[in-house]
């Protein structure tokens, strides 16, 4: 199969036949598919994936809803520029393996993105169905379906022709979404790619930051294995800036370096009692459980658990933490957030799943102090009740304290999820590298090139905290720019 067949030319005969076989009125009358889910009472007892995926029949019917717009705005909402109508129309005609091949042309991690990307704020937010006051096409569900079909039936997916090797080596620091996306694009351009990972597992935040009930490790491993088969080399337990320096990499013949070391430095609020036993960052909590097996049979990694767990924050990491706490025995698992639920940055689906699983939402509530027992273990938190004032710089209404409205809530574990800061290791190890006052690596927004011409960067080390798909977009942009520079 040629690339043009896979790309599904918009004027191809089969596309025209699809458009003529079902009228637009019939397409728009089909209700959006609902994702099957595990029962909430059962799923809090295990780490099984909550969303169960679509059947073939459900996927084909949902794909039929796509109107194959002449100017598909959904593509403009995708940071990695997936040919969204192309892969969806392949699903509609039953060529699921071709749909996966379309996805692979621009995305190194389709099975991951189909699960964790905020499609409702990106591609699906641009769907023409919004103008009709109808629910958008379930692009994320369909992406997951096509990628999972490829995983279950790998022999069916046509291979995209490989590019002849250039004999030029490039290095990647970090194996999270930005690094993997960059590696995939560069290997397909004919470069020799080595990814250096500081931890003992490949996958970065996909492994340590996202629980298996939302993104199973098996899914991440399959995506990584696909890159490995294409020729990407992975080196674990190697800290660039410590184990190996930038100068050594250049001496070893690497022509370029892409830094995707993430933002693993947790932030705290700076309030009294944060050093008490039982108060920890979401990074530590999730890493101990997701990456180091805390709480699982055969693993010795300790992690504090409690019956009354408060998670401070309202993002996806906060939802991951509080839902994990429920699975680790918390009877009262609370989200404590200083704004209202409408201002929460977490995905709507994650909020809904948390609520279904018995999570309590204490909104317009802000911790001001933690209290400990005589052994130094947190026993309670003082919280300030809030109200919403005028919008801040981000457009969200700013919370302001209600005078005198202080309450005390009993807790035995507090997980702080109020943001992260960039990993400082690479900037500290390369003094000539320009960084912002926030510690992020300064880059050209169009090329992701840093102040050192051979070094490019993307993902959280540049953004200070972002989504998987935005990090992947950075990786693709950097790969294109580095390739142009190396080929000049």
């Amino acid at each position: 199969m040629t690339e043009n067949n896979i790309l599904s030319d918009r004027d191809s005969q089969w596309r025209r036949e699809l458009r003529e076989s079902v009228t637009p009125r019939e397409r728009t009358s089909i209700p959006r598919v609902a994702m099957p889910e595990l029962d909430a009472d059962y799923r809090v007892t295990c780490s099984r994936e909550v969303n169960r995926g679509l059947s073939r029949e459900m996927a084909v019917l949902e794909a039929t809803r796509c109107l194959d717009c002449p100017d598909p705005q959904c593509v403009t909402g995708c940071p990695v520029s997936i040919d969204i109508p192309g892969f969806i129309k392949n699903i509609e005609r039953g060529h699921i393996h071709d749909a996966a091949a379309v996805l692979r042309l621009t995305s190194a991690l389709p099975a991951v993105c189909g699960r964790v990307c905020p499609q409702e704020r990106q591609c699906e937010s641009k769907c023409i169905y919004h103008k009709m006051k109808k629910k958008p096409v379930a692009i994320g569900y369909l992406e997951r379906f096509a990628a999972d079909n490829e995983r279950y039936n790998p022999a069916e997916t046509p291979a995209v022709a490989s590019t002849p090797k250039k004999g030029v080596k490039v290095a990647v620091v970090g194996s999270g979404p930005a690094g993997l996306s960059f590696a995939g694009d560069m290997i397909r351009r004919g470069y020799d790619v080595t990814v250096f990972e500081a931890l003992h597992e490949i996958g970065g935040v996909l492994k340590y930051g996202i629980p298996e009930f939302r993104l199973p490790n098996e899914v991440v491993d399959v995506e990584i294995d696909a890159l490995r088969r294409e020729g990407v080399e992975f080196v674990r337990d190697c800290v660039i800036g410590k184990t190996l320096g930038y100068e050594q990499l250049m001496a070893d013949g690497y022509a370029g370096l892409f830094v995707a070391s993430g933002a693993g430095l947790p932030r705290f609020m700076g309030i009294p009692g944060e050093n008490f036993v039982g108060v920890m960052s979401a990074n530590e909590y999730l890493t101990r459980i997701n990456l180091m097996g805390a709480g699982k049979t055969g693993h010795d990694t300790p992690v504090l658990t409690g019956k009354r767990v408060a998670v401070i924050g309202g993002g996806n990491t906060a939802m991951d933490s509080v839902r994990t706490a429920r699975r680790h025995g918390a009877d009262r698992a609370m989200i404590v957030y200083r704004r209202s639920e409408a201002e929460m940055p977490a995905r709507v689906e994650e909020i809904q799943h948390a609520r279904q699983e018995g999570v309590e939402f204490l909104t317009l509530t802000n911790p001001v102090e933690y209290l400990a027992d005589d052994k130094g273990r947190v026993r309670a938190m003082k919280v300030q009740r809030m109200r919403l004032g005028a919008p801040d710089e981000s457009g969200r209404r700013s919370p302001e304290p209600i005078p005198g409205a202080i309450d005390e809530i009993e807790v035995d574990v507090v997980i702080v999820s109020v943001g992260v800061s960039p990993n400082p290791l690479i900037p500290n190890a390369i003094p000539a590298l320009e960084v912002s006052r926030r510690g992020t690596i300064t880059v050209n927004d169009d090329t992701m090139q840093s102040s050192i011409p051979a070094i490019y960067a993307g993902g959280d080390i540049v953004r200070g905290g972002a989504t998987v798909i935005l990090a992947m977009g950075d990786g693709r942009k950097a790969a294109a720019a580095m390739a142009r520079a190396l080929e000049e």
Side-chain angles (χ1 to χ4, degrees), residues 198-217:
L199 299 175
H200 64 284
E201 288 275 356
I202 302 299
V205 70
L206 303 175
K207 282 286 187 73
Y208 72 74
I210 304 178
E212 290 212 75
F213 57 77
R214 196 153 72 90
L215 178 62
N217 286 341

Side-chain angles (χ1 to χ4, degrees), residues 414-434:
V414 174
I415 301 165
V416 182
S417 180
V418 295
V420 289
S421 297
N423 189 322
L425 188 58
I426 295 294
N428 290 344
I430 309 175
L433 195 62
E434 185 179 327

Side-chain angles (χ1 to χ4, degrees), residues 468-485:
V468 167
I469 193 65
L470 286 175
M472 290 178 63
D474 288 348
R476 295 208 71 212
K477 190 187 296 185
M482 184 185 288
R484 285 195 302 268

Side-chain angles (χ1 to χ4, degrees), residues 273-279 304 371-379:
E274 284 184 323
N275 290 327
F276 290 143
V277 176
V279 180
L304 287 175
L371 307 176
D373 60 21
D374 55 7
K375 296 181 180 179
R377 169 105 185 223
V378 65
R379 64 169 181 79

Side-chain angles (χ1 to χ4, degrees), residues 180-450:
L180 295 177
S181 181
F182 174 89
D185 273 23
M186 290 300 275
I187 202 75
R188 289 170 201 135
R189 283 180 162 89
Y191 292 90
D192 296 322
V193 183
T194 303
V195 178
F196 296 93
E197 170 56 53
L199 299 175
H200 64 284
E201 288 275 356
I202 302 299
V205 70
L206 303 175
K207 282 286 187 73
Y208 72 74
I210 304 178
E212 290 212 75
F213 57 77
R214 196 153 72 90
L215 178 62
N217 286 341
E218 176 192 5
V219 172
V220 180
D221 288 337
V222 168
E223 304 279 48
I224 292 167
D225 286 342
L227 290 171
R228 191 176 276 118
R229 287 195 300 273
E230 290 187 60
V232 177
E233 294 188 12
F234 293 95
V235 178
R236 298 177 294 181
D237 300 310
C238 184
V239 182
I240 300 300
K242 293 290 185 182
T243 312
L244 281 177
Y246 171 64
E247 294 80 5
Q248 184 61 53
L249 288 173
M250 296 297 103
D252 289 343
Y254 289 94
L257 175 66
F258 179 64
V259 180
S261 51
L265 190 64
R267 294 180 194 158
F268 286 88
M269 298 175 63
I271 62 177
E274 284 184 323
N275 290 327
F276 290 143
V277 176
V279 180
M280 72 189 87
S281 71
N283 271 30
E284 177 186 353
Y285 181 69
L286 292 174
T287 298
R288 285 178 178 273
I289 293 172
N290 297 338
L291 188 66
M292 302 172 72
K296 294 182 180 178
T297 302
H299 293 266
D300 295 329
T301 303
V303 68
L304 287 175
T305 58
K307 294 299 183 182
R308 296 162 299 188
V309 178
V311 177
I312 316 304
N316 288 324
T317 302
M319 298 304 149
D320 288 342
S321 298
V322 78
R323 295 174 66 196
T324 297
R326 282 285 289 129
R327 286 159 173 78
H328 281 254
D331 294 329
R332 187 184 187 193
M334 299 164 273
I335 283 287
V336 182
Y337 185 58
R338 63 189 184 130
R339 290 183 167 94
S340 73
E341 187 172 319
E343 280 78 37
M344 280 187 179
R347 297 187 68 186
V348 171
E349 180 182 74
E350 301 308 315
I351 295 172
Q352 291 172 343
H353 283 170
R355 181 167 279 114
Q356 291 167 2
E357 292 166 9
V359 171
E360 185 178 346
F361 285 76
L362 305 181
T363 55
L364 294 171
T365 303
N366 198 39
V368 292
E369 183 180 2
Y370 301 115
L371 307 176
D373 60 21
D374 55 7
K375 296 181 180 179
R377 169 105 185 223
V378 65
R379 64 169 181 79
M381 60 180 178
K382 288 186 176 180
V383 297
Q384 168 73 63
R385 299 299 178 184
M386 312 292 285
R387 61 190 174 201
L388 292 179
D392 62 13
E393 294 177 356
S394 69
R396 293 187 296 174
R397 294 176 65 191
S398 298
E400 55 187 36
I402 300 172
I406 301 288
D407 294 329
E408 186 175 309
I409 299 172
E410 292 185 349
V411 294
D412 41 29
V413 170
V414 174
I415 301 165
V416 182
S417 180
V418 295
V420 289
S421 297
N423 189 322
L425 188 58
I426 295 294
N428 290 344
I430 309 175
L433 195 62
E434 185 179 327
V435 297
S436 71
R437 59 181 179 80
R438 297 185 298 127
T440 57
I441 295 177
T442 302
V443 298
N444 179 304
D445 290 340
D446 295 328
T447 65
M448 312 307 292
Q449 189 176 37
S450 75

Side-chain angles (χ1 to χ4, degrees), residues 93-119:
R93 68 171 179 160
H95 288 214
I96 316 303
H97 47 286
D98 285 351
V102 172
L103 288 167
R104 287 286 177 196
L105 289 171
T106 53
S107 175
L109 307 169
V112 171
C113 292
R115 287 168 163 82
V116 304
C117 286
Q119 290 94 3

